[in-house]
Amino acid sequence: MSSALSWRHHVVIQSLFSRGPLCEKDMHAMFEQLTKRNPGTERQLFDGFILKINKALSCANFELRACINQYDGQVYYGVVNTVADEHSKLGTKYSVPQIAFYKAIIEAIVQDASAQGVIFSIHALNLSLDGQVTIMTDPQSQGSLSNVPSTLKNFSLSQKEKTLNELVQDQWLNLTTEGVIKLGLKSFLDLRSWFRNNDVPSCHVCNEAGIKAEVCQNENCTVRIHQYCLKQLFLQGKVAKVCPSCGTSWPYTVPQEEALQTGDDSEPRQSQRVTRSDRKRQSANRVVVDDGVGCSNQDELNENKEIQNGNVLGRKRRRGRQTDDAETGGPGASQSSAAISGLRRVTRNSARLK
């Protein structure tokens, strides 16, 4: 395996084994740092990189796999064991009662008809392990109480609490501060085939197990859709917000960030709807720049009106100030000449406005 992979591949594998599942952002950042290539724009190169790792890992029955965390809709990458036989179970650190407890929690979560994808810790700790007899006995066993092994019967509350903490630490489960248990990233990565084999209802859009999903309000309809799949479905053009199977109205609220983005996109189109008077005001307030001198068209119109009304006194006063400045040779002389040239430009521009 080492001869087929470069040191860059080894870094990725070691990071996933030591740190556990990585979110897509961190995975892409690592790839870009190692290869100096952008996985967003060079997706084929990134996929080839992952494929080469999987070819090397296949000899050890491992696979680098991507999954979606159904609680936040984010993509994560992790390495999973692709074999689920009895020999592979020997490699786990968990005892048989601990595995039975974990399996009981998973079944309680996936069997929830409301598809909330959670179970309260107090309920999880009180789950009976009698239904997990087949883990320790012959699958043909009826699972009667007399056949329940003592290790399952005697699995105490404190042992369950300890196991729960270990499962959370190893990312098989997630426990919130409110005491709500969710599936962990490793469960989404490893249990994909288990979800299918145990007939866990799938999402109508992506066909993956609908652990955390929205359900149709029609009691006779079994459709469930992930929240991120709903977003993808209902934000496409003019798609009606109804159940894709039975046609029942599906209450869907556009997330706030999408609503803000939509509002921002619509603002330029609304601002383009200006009236004729608005255009006149905008034209009047437009700044005209000529050789570094700026003035507004409104000022030009006022100056022109003053000239047209025969305000000779105002012009005489300006000429007088210009003559005095020119005779004294003071610093105002250049400013007066600039004002005169500016006045001429105003007159010419005003004539054009007419």
Side-chain angles (χ1 to χ4, degrees), residues 21 25 29 36-37 54 64 67 71 79 81 99 114 117 120 165 176 186 202 232-233 239 249 262 309 312 327 338 347:
K25 180 181 178 181
K36 309 303 180 185
R37 301 292 184 88
N54 278 332
L64 200 171
C67 74
Y71 301 100
V79 177
N81 181 7
I99 295 175
S114 63
F120 287 98
N165 292 332
T176 68
K186 285 190 176 180
S202 60
Q232 185 180 16
L233 178 65
V239 177
S249 177
T262 304
N309 290 337
V312 180
E327 289 176 353
T347 304

Side-chain angles (χ1 to χ4, degrees), residues 15 49 68 149 234 256 277 293 326:
S15 297
F49 186 88
I68 297 180
F234 288 152
Q256 185 176 4
S277 59
V293 180

Side-chain angles (χ1 to χ4, degrees), residues 23 47 57 63 67 81-82 87 173 175 179 188 190 256 283 301 309 320:
C23 67
D47 292 342
L57 291 178
E63 179 186 356
C67 74
N81 181 7
T82 58
H87 298 287
L173 296 174
L175 178 63
F188 284 119
D190 275 66
Q256 185 176 4
S283 178
L301 293 174
N309 290 337

Side-chain angles (χ1 to χ4, degrees), residues 206-249:
C206 68
N207 204 33
E208 291 291 337
I211 309 300
K212 176 68 172 77
E214 303 289 334
V215 297
C216 179
Q217 291 190 337
N218 183 355
E219 295 180 356
N220 298 322
C221 182
T222 60
V223 168
R224 58 175 64 187
I225 304 176
H226 298 127
Q227 182 65 33
Y228 46 88
C229 291
L230 276 176
K231 170 185 169 182
Q232 185 180 16
L233 178 65
F234 288 152
L235 290 183
Q236 292 178 355
K238 299 181 180 180
V239 177
K241 293 180 176 59
V242 297
C243 175
S245 178
C246 68
T248 302
S249 177

Side-chain angles (χ1 to χ4, degrees), residues 190-344:
D190 275 66
L191 299 183
R192 181 181 299 173
S193 59
W194 185 89
F195 293 148
R196 293 172 180 169
N197 295 336
N198 288 270
D199 298 325
V200 176
S202 60
C203 171
H204 187 84
V205 175
C206 68
N207 204 33
E208 291 291 337
I211 309 300
K212 176 68 172 77
E214 303 289 334
V215 297
C216 179
Q217 291 190 337
N218 183 355
E219 295 180 356
N220 298 322
C221 182
T222 60
V223 168
R224 58 175 64 187
I225 304 176
H226 298 127
Q227 182 65 33
Y228 46 88
C229 291
L230 276 176
K231 170 185 169 182
Q232 185 180 16
L233 178 65
F234 288 152
L235 290 183
Q236 292 178 355
K238 299 181 180 180
V239 177
K241 293 180 176 59
V242 297
C243 175
S245 178
C246 68
T248 302
S249 177
W250 198 300
Y252 175 76
T253 303
V254 178
Q256 185 176 4
E257 56 271 15
E258 277 78 16
L260 292 175
Q261 183 177 1
T262 304
D264 294 340
D265 294 341
S266 62
E267 284 181 1
R269 292 191 291 270
Q270 294 176 356
S271 63
Q272 292 172 2
R273 300 174 183 173
V274 294
T275 62
R276 184 174 299 176
S277 59
D278 292 333
R279 292 193 186 97
K280 289 182 179 180
R281 284 195 296 270
Q282 292 174 1
S283 178
N285 294 326
R286 188 178 297 114
V287 175
V288 180
V289 180
D290 186 9
D291 296 334
V293 180
C295 61
S296 67
N297 283 343
Q298 186 64 46
D299 294 336
E300 294 178 2
L301 293 174
N302 293 336
E303 291 273 356
N304 187 42
K305 185 176 182 180
E306 179 185 351
I307 295 172
Q308 291 176 349
N309 290 337
N311 194 348
V312 180
L313 181 60
R315 286 188 291 174
K316 285 183 178 180
R317 287 176 180 174
R318 284 194 292 272
R319 283 178 189 155
R321 286 195 296 269
Q322 295 164 9
T323 303
D324 294 339
D325 292 337
E327 289 176 353
T328 57
S334 60
Q335 296 177 1
S336 299
S337 61
I340 294 173
S341 62
L343 180 61
R344 290 172 181 169

